[in-house]
């Protein structure tokens, strides 16, 4: 235990008592050095404790109530905060999380000497625990003792004696005739004293609680001491004032003693003011003054004086006893507690501001009806809300206390009208109660539980906010009971920033049902409206619903909420996932595509997430998936239909694009039809073809002639004559360019007989073919498995090529043409050229060829393979050799 100076000037005692009581996890530990402590009267005492309780089987167990108490004569537990004896002097400093609680008692008195214990109760039924044994507090009174053995010596050794052992660290203060004479750590004081010296002692920081004054040096054993130096009594009552006196020897019959007020020569028994009201009771060296029917004027300092039978032998006890006569100011003190036998009880005490005699009897009333009489204490098992108790002194019923009653239903005052956010608001709770009620404010939380806010009659919002809205609960409580009332605080305010929720949560897929919900904290409730691109969507409502959301619904939506106090808004971005839309294809550069140029095909599709695009041609993928296909130098072979397919995890889509490439005509190929024997006067077709885009225009020219022979792809000579022989050039041309090929046609005349023979031969061949065809069907009908005969000789003058010939060799063709002698025959009259006539053959050639009757024309075709390089001579020239035999 240690004592330190408190700010208030009181002595603060810090106690550490190692007292532990534990059972199955329940314990209370008092932190102190000793289990019994001593504190000077008037000091401040602090007692600490720690407690514990088990949670293993009841994890939700928590302390619901805790208090300190002392066990009085009737065996009950009284919360010190409700005991009027400790009113205004007790403070608890408890921390539930750390499971500790401190008791602080200020201005301790002799009546505070007791055993203090801590008790707690949990939220579980019948769960409570008391720390026993507790801490025993003894409040010390001081008394000055003389330690000198020689009563006649003026040098005295004094001791400031305490009723219990105090710490050795205290500082003692000594007074002589109300004046400080010494301050130090020793409880003793030595000095020379003279007659009339009155000494008292105290401890530092608690000087107002001094010891009773003591007359140190009497005159040869003369002295008077009083049992009490201050007495309080009420009007009409009787008071006893006692004293003890000493002197050398004994008083004889001539000695006398008496009490007086002001004049030491006036005995109270002879004072007319006290006539019939004063009585002395004296025996040995003690004397008692009794004054009855006290009056206000009786308030005075009373002294005792005795005179011996010796001349000038007298002594007066000074200072005397101060008597205060006043109304008793009766009060009813109330305290509540609980014990095992009595679950709830209330104790009423009739208390007076004066120290009343113990022999008095009391009367108790409830609403002016006497309910009990006799004792100063009145124990109630139940107190009704309408009960009103007071007390009086029997025989003096006109002197009564004020009534005590439980609080009525509190009245809460609040500002009238609407409460606007940000304003200052004060709630005041009041209730008629005696003793005065203690007020506690609570607020109901989301779990419908009342949460403690503060204690006091007033609850002030310096700047009230919307979060302060709710149900407030005011409780008025005194020792007789409690009552409460609720008040609803609705703060008016503009909408807060709205919050937007999307249902269902997660990814939004095209075609699904989606709801946007907008809400805003506001009072009064706000009306919310949805906007998109600053255009309102439907009527004002807080939910916007998409029955089947589409990709076009993507974007930013705005929700605006408003009431009469203002508005607020927020935005929400909506992303819709969907399969690729129909792709679009662009060609770069735009316009016509010319062979050899650089070309890009670009494919794109609206999709979320972005689609991967792949190019295909003829169902075959072209390269890796990418949306651009590049032609470094596009060729005619790249013409065709291209497909672009775009896909993501939600689907795919595709489109096709036809790609046209413009290019100049390739090297034309020419042919002669028929490709067999060309007879003068017959019809012949010269055909020219070339790969070109756009398609080529064809023009036929004959060598050494400026004018074209024909402007068609097929040049027809209906009546072939000898002058038609020669070289023919085919020119293929379009807007991109031109290419030529040349063919040589040699016409030889034949005799009429040979012509006829040829006709007969052809006719025979046709007839033979008919017979062979008939034979084929006949044999097939007879289901023979093998053909027994071969067809007859063919009259085919066209030369066949072996199968093992090369491609270039197979590109050559020969024709044998039989010409008749140059005769005038009507059979040739219908031969005419198609178009302009060509150059004639040289006469020398004709003479040489006339040596034979039959002319053979060999027409040779050379391949039009573009790989053959141009040497200046047209590689497609047709050569004819005609030999005539006559």
């Amino acid at each position: 235990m240690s004592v330190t100076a408190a700010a208030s000037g009181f002595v603060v005692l810090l106690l550490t008592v190692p007292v532990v009581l534990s059972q199955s996890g329940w314990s209370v530990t008092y932190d102190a050095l000793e289990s019994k402590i001593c504190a000077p009267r008037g000091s401040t005492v602090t007692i600490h404790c720690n407690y514990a309780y088990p949670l293993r089987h009841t994890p939700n167990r928590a302390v619901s109530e805790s208090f300190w108490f002392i066990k009085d004569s009737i065996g009950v537990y009284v919360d010190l905060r409700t005991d009027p004896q400790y009113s205004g002097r007790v403070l608890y400093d408890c921390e539930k999380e750390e499971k500790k609680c401190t008791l602080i008692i200020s201005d301790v008195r002799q009546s505070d000497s007791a055993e203090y214990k801590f008790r707690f109760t949990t939220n579980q039924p019948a769960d409570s625990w008391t720390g026993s044994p507790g801490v025993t507090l003894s409040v010390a009174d001081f008394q000055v003792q003389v330690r000198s053995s020689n009563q006649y010596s003026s040098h005295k050794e004094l001791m400031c004696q305490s009723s219990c052992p105090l710490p050795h660290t205290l500082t003692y203060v000594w007074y002589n005739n109300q004046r400080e004479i010494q301050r130090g750590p020793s409880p003793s004081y030595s000095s020379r004293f003279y007659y009339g010296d009155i000494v008292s002692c105290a401890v530092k920081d608690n000087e107002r609680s001094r010891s009773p004054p003591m007359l140190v040096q009497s005159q040869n054993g003369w002295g008077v001491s009083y049992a009490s130096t201050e007495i309080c009594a009420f009007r009409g009552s009787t008071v006893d004032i006692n004293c003890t006196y000493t002197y050398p020897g004994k008083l004889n019959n001539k000695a006398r003693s008496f009490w007086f007020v002001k004049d030491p020569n006036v005995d109270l028994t002879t004072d007319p003011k006290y006539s019939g009201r004063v009585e002395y009771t004296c025996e040995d060296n003690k004397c008692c003054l009794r004054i009855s029917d006290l009056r206000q004027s009786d308030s005075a300092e009373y002294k005792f004086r005795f005179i011996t039978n010796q001349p000038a032998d007298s002594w007066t006890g000074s200072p005397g006893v101060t008597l205060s006569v006043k109304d008793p100011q009766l009060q009813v003190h109330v305290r509540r507690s609980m014990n095992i036998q009595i679950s709830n009880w209330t104790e009423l005490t009739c208390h007076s501001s004066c120290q009343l005699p113990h022999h008095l009897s009391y009367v108790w009333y409830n609403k002016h009806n006497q309910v009990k009489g006799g004792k100063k204490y009145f124990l109630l098992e139940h107190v009704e809300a309408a009960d009103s108790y007071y007390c009086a002194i029997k025989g003096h019923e006109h002197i009564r206390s004020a009534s005590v009653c439980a609080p009525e239903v509190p009245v809460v005052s609040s500002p009238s009208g609407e409460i606007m956010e940000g304003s200052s608001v004060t709630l005041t709770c009041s209730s008629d109660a005696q003793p005065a009620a203690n007020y506690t404010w609570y607020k109901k939380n989301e779990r419908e539980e009342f949460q403690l806010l503060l204690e006091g009659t007033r609850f002030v919002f310096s700047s009230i906010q919307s979060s302060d809205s709710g149900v407030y609960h005011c409780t008025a409580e005194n020792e007789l009971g409690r009552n409460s009332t609720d008040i609803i605080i609705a703060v008016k305010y503009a909408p807060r920033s709205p919050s937007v929720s999307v249902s269902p949560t997660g990814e939004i897929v095209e075609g699904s049902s989606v709801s946007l919900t907008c809400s805003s904290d506001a009072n009064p409730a706000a009306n919310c409206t949805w906007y998109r691109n600053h255009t309102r969507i439907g009527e004002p409502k807080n939910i916007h619903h998409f029955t089947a959301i589409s990709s076009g619904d993507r974007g930013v939506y705005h929700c605006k909420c408003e009431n009469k106090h203002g508005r607020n808004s927020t935005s929400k971005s909506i992303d819709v996932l969907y399969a690729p839309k129909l792709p679009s294809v662009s060609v770069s550069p735009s316009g016509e595509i010319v062979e050899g140029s650089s070309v890009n095909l670009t494919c794109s599709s609206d999709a979320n997430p972005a689609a991967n695009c792949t190019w295909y041609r003829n169902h075959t993928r072209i390269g890796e998936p990418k949306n651009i296909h590049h032609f470094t130098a596009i060729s005619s072979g790249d013409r065709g239909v291209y497909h672009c397919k775009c896909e993501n995890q939600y689907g795919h889509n595709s489109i096709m694009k036809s790609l046209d490439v413009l290019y100049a005509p390739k090297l034309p190929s020419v042919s002669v039809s028929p490709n067999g024997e060309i007879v003068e006067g017959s019809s012949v077709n010269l055909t020219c073809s070339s790969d070109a885009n756009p398609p080529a225009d064809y023009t036929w020219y004959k060598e050494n002639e400026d004018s074209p022979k024909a402007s068609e792809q097929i040049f027809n000579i209906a009546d072939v004559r000898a002058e038609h022989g020669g070289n023919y050039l085919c020119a293929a041309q379009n807007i991109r360019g031109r290419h030529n090929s040349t063919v040589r046609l040699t016409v030889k005349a034949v005799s009429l007989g040979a012509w006829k023979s040829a006709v007969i031969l052809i006719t025979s061949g046709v007839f033979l073919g008919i017979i062979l065809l008939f034979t084929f069907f006949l044999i097939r009908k007879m289901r023979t498995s093998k053909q027994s005969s071969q067809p007859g000789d063919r009259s085919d003058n066209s030369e066949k090529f072996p199968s093992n010939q090369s491609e270039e060799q197979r590109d050559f063709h020969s024709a044998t043409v039989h010409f008749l002698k140059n005769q005038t025959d009507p059979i040739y009259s219908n031969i005419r050229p198609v178009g302009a006539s060509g150059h004639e053959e040289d006469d020398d050639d004709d003479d040489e060829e006339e040596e034979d009757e039959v002319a053979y024309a060999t027409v040779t075709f050379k391949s039009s393979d573009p790989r053959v390089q141009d040497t200046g001579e047209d590689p497609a020239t047709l050569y004819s050799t005609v030999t005539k035999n006559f």
Side-chain angles (χ1 to χ4, degrees):
M1 180 189 69
S2 62
V3 179
T4 58
S8 62
F10 296 158
V11 174
V12 180
L13 299 183
L14 304 178
L15 311 178
T16 55
V17 181
V19 178
V20 181
L21 182 63
S22 176
Q23 180 179 345
S24 301
W26 298 84
S27 68
V28 173
T29 303
Y30 302 100
D31 295 333
L33 295 176
E34 299 177 354
S35 60
K36 296 181 179 180
I37 60 169
C38 176
R41 180 166 52 93
S43 63
T44 297
V45 174
T46 302
I47 306 175
H48 303 278
C49 86
N50 295 288
Y51 59 91
Y53 50 87
L55 294 174
R56 176 178 300 177
H57 302 294
T58 313
N60 295 325
R61 177 181 280 138
V63 172
S64 59
E65 182 183 15
S66 62
F67 60 91
W68 291 84
F69 70 94
I70 58 174
K71 191 171 184 179
D72 62 13
S73 59
I74 61 175
V76 295
Y77 304 110
V78 179
D79 186 342
L80 293 182
R81 291 171 299 186
T82 68
D83 193 333
Q85 178 179 330
Y86 293 88
S87 178
R89 299 190 298 119
V90 168
L91 177 66
Y92 292 172
D93 184 10
C94 301
E95 298 181 10
K96 288 187 177 181
E97 293 184 358
E98 297 185 12
K99 297 182 178 63
K100 63 182 181 180
C101 191
T102 300
L103 167 64
I104 303 173
I105 309 174
S106 59
D107 190 21
V108 293
R109 306 167 183 174
Q110 189 65 42
S111 59
D112 296 338
S113 298
E115 182 182 10
Y116 291 81
K117 300 178 182 179
F118 178 76
R119 180 178 178 86
F120 66 91
T121 303
T122 75
N123 54 2
Q124 302 300 317
D127 265 4
S128 61
W129 191 260
T130 299
S132 183
V135 176
T136 301
L137 171 63
S138 298
V139 178
D141 270 331
F142 296 100
Q143 184 178 6
V144 176
Q145 292 183 350
V146 180
R147 303 185 67 178
S148 176
S149 59
N150 187 355
Q151 62 175 337
Y152 301 105
S153 174
S154 61
H155 189 276
K156 303 292 183 181
E157 181 180 357
L158 307 181
M159 176 64 69
C160 190
Q161 187 68 38
S162 171
S163 59
C164 60
L166 290 172
H168 300 291
T169 57
L170 297 180
T171 299
Y172 292 85
V173 182
W174 288 93
Y175 301 88
N176 187 359
N177 297 323
Q178 307 298 322
R179 181 175 60 86
E180 182 179 332
I181 57 175
Q182 178 175 298
R183 182 179 296 250
S186 175
S188 64
Y189 175 68
S190 297
S191 182
R192 182 179 298 276
F193 295 93
Y194 300 94
Y195 297 123
D197 286 343
I198 299 176
V199 180
S200 61
C201 68
V203 294
K204 181 184 176 183
D205 300 323
N206 197 31
E207 288 85 348
R208 66 186 184 88
S209 297
R210 301 178 186 177
S211 67
M214 177 182 177
L215 180 63
V216 178
Q217 181 64 24
S218 64
Q219 186 174 5
N220 299 322
W222 298 80
V224 174
S225 62
Y226 301 98
S228 178
T229 59
E230 293 183 0
I231 296 178
C232 176
F234 61 92
R235 286 180 300 173
S237 66
T238 300
V239 65
D240 291 338
I241 303 176
N242 296 281
C243 77
T244 301
Y245 59 93
T246 62
Y247 64 93
K250 295 183 179 180
L251 293 179
N252 55 26
N253 293 333
K254 294 183 179 180
R256 65 188 182 97
S257 60
F258 59 91
W259 293 83
F260 69 94
V261 176
K262 294 182 179 179
D263 189 349
N265 297 315
V266 178
D267 187 344
L268 286 182
T269 57
T270 63
D271 190 339
K273 179 181 176 182
Y274 292 91
S275 177
R277 299 189 299 118
V278 172
E279 179 184 0
Y280 296 163
T281 304
C282 297
E283 183 179 358
D284 295 332
N285 62 338
K286 295 181 180 179
C287 191
C288 175
L289 166 64
R290 174 170 290 180
I291 307 173
S292 60
D293 190 18
L294 287 172
R295 305 168 185 176
Q296 187 73 37
S297 60
D298 295 338
S299 298
E301 182 181 9
Y302 293 82
K303 300 178 181 180
F304 178 75
R305 180 178 176 81
F306 65 92
I307 302 173
T308 72
N309 57 355
Q310 300 299 320
D313 271 355
S314 65
W315 191 264
T316 301
S318 183
V321 177
T322 301
L323 173 63
S324 298
V325 179
K326 55 185 178 181
D327 287 337
Q329 299 178 353
L330 297 179
Q331 296 178 345
V332 177
H333 286 181
V334 184
R335 66 177 183 175
R336 289 183 302 163
S337 189
M338 58 189 298
N339 67 356
I340 299 176
Q341 291 79 20
I342 306 175
S343 59
N344 290 294
W345 59 269
T346 302
E347 183 187 57
L348 306 182
T349 303
C350 194
H351 180 76
S352 173
S353 59
C354 293
Q355 185 68 34
L356 298 179
H358 297 291
H359 63 274
L360 294 180
S361 182
Y362 297 84
V363 182
W364 288 95
Y365 298 87
N366 182 10
K367 294 181 293 189
H368 307 294
N369 297 320
Q370 183 175 341
V371 293
K372 192 173 183 179
K375 294 183 179 181
K376 184 178 182 179
Y377 302 96
F378 182 24
L379 188 64
L380 300 174
E381 294 185 6
H382 300 285
V383 178
E384 302 295 335
D387 289 345
S388 178
Y389 293 91
Y390 63 90
C391 67
I393 298 175
K394 188 175 182 179
H396 302 277
E397 284 79 358
H398 63 285
I399 302 176
R400 50 163 291 184
S401 69
S403 299
V404 293
C405 59
E408 296 181 356
V409 175
V411 176
V412 176
S413 62
S414 61
S416 60
E418 291 184 345
I419 300 176
M420 297 303 299
E421 188 175 39
S423 62
S424 176
V425 175
T426 300
L427 304 180
T428 302
C429 186
S430 61
S431 174
D432 289 336
Q434 183 62 35
N438 295 317
Y439 298 91
T440 306
W441 287 95
Y442 301 84
K443 183 181 180 182
K444 187 177 289 186
N445 58 24
E446 296 178 352
R447 297 189 298 251
E448 298 297 316
E449 299 173 346
F450 283 106
Q451 182 178 359
L452 175 65
L453 296 178
L454 58 82
E455 296 180 354
T457 58
R458 302 175 67 194
F459 189 74
V460 180
F461 302 91
S462 58
S463 177
I464 197 167
Q465 302 298 315
S466 60
S467 58
D468 296 322
S469 298
V471 178
Y472 288 81
H473 186 78
C474 175
T475 298
E477 181 178 12
N478 64 9
E479 292 79 357
L480 289 171
R482 70 166 62 185
N483 227 320
S484 61
T485 189
D486 291 342
I487 182 172
I488 299 176
I489 299 298
V491 182
K492 306 298 181 181
Y493 52 95
R496 305 300 189 201
S497 179
S499 63
V500 174
S501 62
V502 182
S503 178
T505 59
E507 294 181 340
I508 300 175
V509 181
E510 188 174 39
S512 61
S513 176
V514 176
S515 293
L516 299 181
T517 302
C518 180
S519 60
S520 175
D521 179 23
N523 192 18
N527 294 320
C528 298
T529 306
W530 283 99
Y531 294 84
R532 187 183 183 193
N533 298 330
H534 306 290
T535 301
R536 191 178 74 181
I537 307 173
E539 296 300 319
K541 55 185 178 180
N542 67 329
I543 299 179
H544 179 61
H545 182 67
F546 300 91
T547 303
I549 198 167
S550 67
S551 59
D553 295 323
R554 287 186 303 166
V556 178
Y557 291 78
H558 296 269
C559 171
K560 182 174 72 174
C561 298
E562 57 186 335
N563 62 12
K564 64 180 181 179
H565 300 296
R567 68 182 62 182
N568 216 323
S569 63
T570 190
S571 60
K572 180 68 175 180
S573 180
I574 299 300
D575 191 24
V576 180
L577 305 178
Y578 52 93
K581 305 300 182 183
L582 182 66
S584 63
V585 174
S586 63
V587 182
S588 177
S590 59
E592 293 180 342
I593 300 174
V594 180
E595 187 176 37
S597 62
S598 175
V599 176
N600 285 333
L601 292 182
T602 302
C603 180
S604 62
S605 175
D606 180 22
N608 191 16
N612 294 319
C613 297
T614 306
W615 282 99
Y616 294 84
R617 186 183 184 193
N618 298 330
H619 306 290
T620 300
R621 190 178 74 182
I622 306 173
E624 295 300 319
K626 56 184 178 180
N627 64 333
I628 298 178
H629 180 61
H630 179 66
F631 299 92
T632 303
I634 198 167
S635 66
S636 60
D638 295 323
R639 285 186 303 166
V641 177
Y642 291 80
H643 292 266
C644 172
K645 179 182 179 182
C646 297
E647 58 186 335
N648 61 14
Q649 62 263 43
Y650 298 102
H652 59 84
N653 216 327
S654 61
I655 192 173
M656 64 181 183
K657 178 69 175 180
S658 180
L659 193 61
D660 193 22
V661 180
L662 303 180
Y663 51 94
K666 305 299 182 182
L667 183 65
S669 64
V670 294
S671 62
V672 178
S673 178
N675 58 359
E677 293 181 348
I678 300 176
V679 181
E680 187 177 20
S682 63
S683 176
V684 66
N685 286 333
L686 301 181
T687 301
C688 181
S689 63
S690 175
D691 180 20
N693 190 23
D697 294 326
Y698 299 93
T699 305
W700 288 93
Y701 296 90
K702 188 174 183 184
E703 188 177 20
N704 298 324
E705 292 185 8
D706 295 332
S707 299
K709 303 300 290 182
S711 298
E712 294 90 11
Q713 184 177 8
I714 300 175
F715 175 30
N716 175 256
I717 303 175
D719 185 10
V720 177
R721 296 182 181 275
E723 61 268 22
H724 291 150
N727 293 329
Y728 288 85
L729 181 143
C730 172
Q733 181 176 4
N734 64 11
I735 59 175
R736 308 311 309 174
R738 172 175 174 167
H739 224 144
N740 302 329
S741 289
T742 302
V743 63
R744 183 176 179 82
L745 180 64
T746 303
V747 180
K748 298 296 183 179
V750 295
S751 63
L752 181 59
W755 170 252
K756 290 181 179 179
S757 297
V759 171
I760 293 172
L761 183 60
I762 292 173
T763 302
S764 299
V766 171
F767 179 74
L768 180 59
I770 294 173
I771 293 175
L772 292 176
L773 182 62
F774 176 77
T775 302
F776 170 76
F777 283 106
L778 179 63
I779 293 172
R780 181 176 181 183
K781 186 176 182 181
M782 295 175 66
R783 297 183 178 179
T784 59
S785 60
K786 184 176 181 181
Q787 185 175 352
S788 60
S789 62
Q790 299 294 333
D793 295 336
R794 292 184 182 179
S795 180
D796 187 0
N797 295 325
S798 61
E799 183 181 357
K800 290 187 175 181
F801 294 93
S803 59
N804 59 352
Q805 288 181 336
S806 67
E807 185 177 351
E808 288 188 359
Q809 290 173 330
R810 289 195 299 270
D811 285 341
F812 291 95
H813 303 276
S814 63
T816 301
V817 184
H818 296 274
F819 294 90
L820 297 178
K821 288 185 179 180
N822 200 8
Q823 299 178 358
T824 303
D825 197 315
I827 193 170
Y828 300 103
S829 63
N830 62 347
I831 300 176
R832 63 183 181 279
V834 179
S837 60
H839 298 286
E840 294 183 355
E841 301 283 347
D842 293 338
D843 292 339
D844 295 339
D845 294 336
D846 292 339
D847 293 339
E848 294 176 358
E849 294 174 357
E850 287 177 356
E851 293 177 358
D852 299 321
E853 182 179 357
V854 180
Y856 296 91
T858 300
V859 182
T860 303
F861 297 90
K862 193 170 184 180
S863 173
S864 60
D865 189 343
R867 294 172 295 180
V868 179
Q869 296 189 4
D870 189 0
T871 59
E873 181 181 357
D874 194 335
T877 303
L878 294 173
Y879 297 96
S880 287
T881 303
V882 180
T883 304
K884 296 182 179 180
N885 296 315
F886 295 97

